[in-house]
Amino acid sequence: MTYVPDRITSKPGHTQDGYGGHELDVPTWPVEPDRYRLVAARACPWANRAIIVRGLLGLEDVLSMGLAGPTHDERSWTFDLDPGGVDPVLGYERLQQAYLARDPGWDKGITVPAIVDVPSGAVVTSDFPSITHDLFFEWRDHHRPDAPDLWPDDCREEMEAVMKRVFTDVNNGVYRCGFSGSQEAYDEAYDVLWSTMDWLEERLTDRRYLMGDRITEADVRLFTTLARFDAVYHNHFKCNRNKLTEMPALWGYARDLFQTPGFGDTIDFDQIKRHYYVVHEDINPTGIVPKGPDPSVWLTAHGRDRL
């Protein structure tokens, strides 16, 4: 596991699958029901992953969740969706307060998702790949009995390779397009993005999910980008070779997941658009939020069950 350098990270509480922490000298928090709070935001694709995995695994009763609003300033995500603008469990107005409780000198990014230790009010980790990984491996004693196997042993190596390409070229690729500082950088990111989108289109033509006939963590990671593609990335990030709706396999696949319990019910297109079009003032200085596209298209028949 590679940890993002500018995110607060920690060692897992225990290692049922031998998965270890990183090399930093940091505290170890044990896995305990009702001790931690997942702070997320429906607007954020990285946080959306954690929301989906928490629900698929049935961890709602052992890991509470707080949701930040879609817009924020440079200081951090805020709990403006809650009464009085205060998270009812943490008592915080800003996620920044949890970071400062862990490190009073923290001057880097304040990101979601984040796992917060409720007794101390301190952030435990904000490393988004490790959060969903740990929810599966470290919290497995608390999964619901029929929870899906999001990390199947028989295809783990291939899945890791697929997720790596999806992250580099698609999840992060749309951001590389949107925040390119030069035409050359944009052109390169654009070409890489669409090369992988075409690869995914071909891969999903004859298989229902990325790894075959079952939903895995790979599908969760791709879905949160696809859900935002036409509403945001196509226009706002200039990823406009074509729309997702114009790619038969990918569009059918995205709708199939959207209509699967635990996926589409985590998506709020209004919050997603408000986040990107309002917060990214350098890209959209007017702050105007587009009215479209029509979200009802996500509920149309996908025909993927034939696979």
Side-chain angles (χ1 to χ4, degrees), residues 12-17 19 28-31 137-141:
H14 58 276
T15 54
Q16 293 185 5
D17 71 328
Y19 170 63
T28 298
W29 282 269
V31 172
F137 288 104
E138 306 300 326
W139 290 78
R140 61 176 57 177
D141 288 344

Side-chain angles (χ1 to χ4, degrees), residues 48 51-53 55-56 223 257-267:
N48 198 173
I51 297 172
I52 292 172
V53 170
L56 291 178
F223 171 76
L257 288 175
F258 186 91
Q259 295 170 33
T260 299
F263 283 84
D265 49 5
T266 71
I267 299 297

Side-chain angles (χ1 to χ4, degrees), residues 25 27 36 46 73 85 94 103 117 150 188 199 214 228 259 271:
D25 182 18
Y36 304 99
W46 318 103
D73 58 25
R94 293 177 174 275
D103 180 356
D117 177 47
L150 298 179
E188 179 183 356
W199 172 73
R214 50 190 165 175
R228 290 157 175 78
Q259 295 170 33
Q271 289 195 33

Side-chain angles (χ1 to χ4, degrees), residues 209-276:
Y209 306 113
L210 283 174
M211 303 313 301
D213 60 356
R214 50 190 165 175
I215 292 173
T216 66
E217 171 91 7
D219 299 299
V220 176
R221 296 186 178 196
L222 177 57
F223 171 76
T224 59
T225 295
L226 296 183
R228 290 157 175 78
F229 202 90
D230 286 2
V232 176
Y233 304 142
H234 177 269
N235 177 48
H236 186 59
F237 280 175
K238 306 179 182 68
C239 302
N240 61 351
R241 190 193 75 178
N242 54 258
K243 296 178 180 178
L244 177 65
T245 55
E246 296 166 350
M247 305 186 76
L250 267 173
W251 174 226
Y253 163 82
R255 280 177 292 157
D256 188 2
L257 288 175
F258 186 91
Q259 295 170 33
T260 299
F263 283 84
D265 49 5
T266 71
I267 299 297
D268 187 314
F269 287 109
D270 179 63
Q271 289 195 33
I272 288 170
K273 290 188 293 183
R274 285 171 57 203
H275 171 65
Y276 285 94

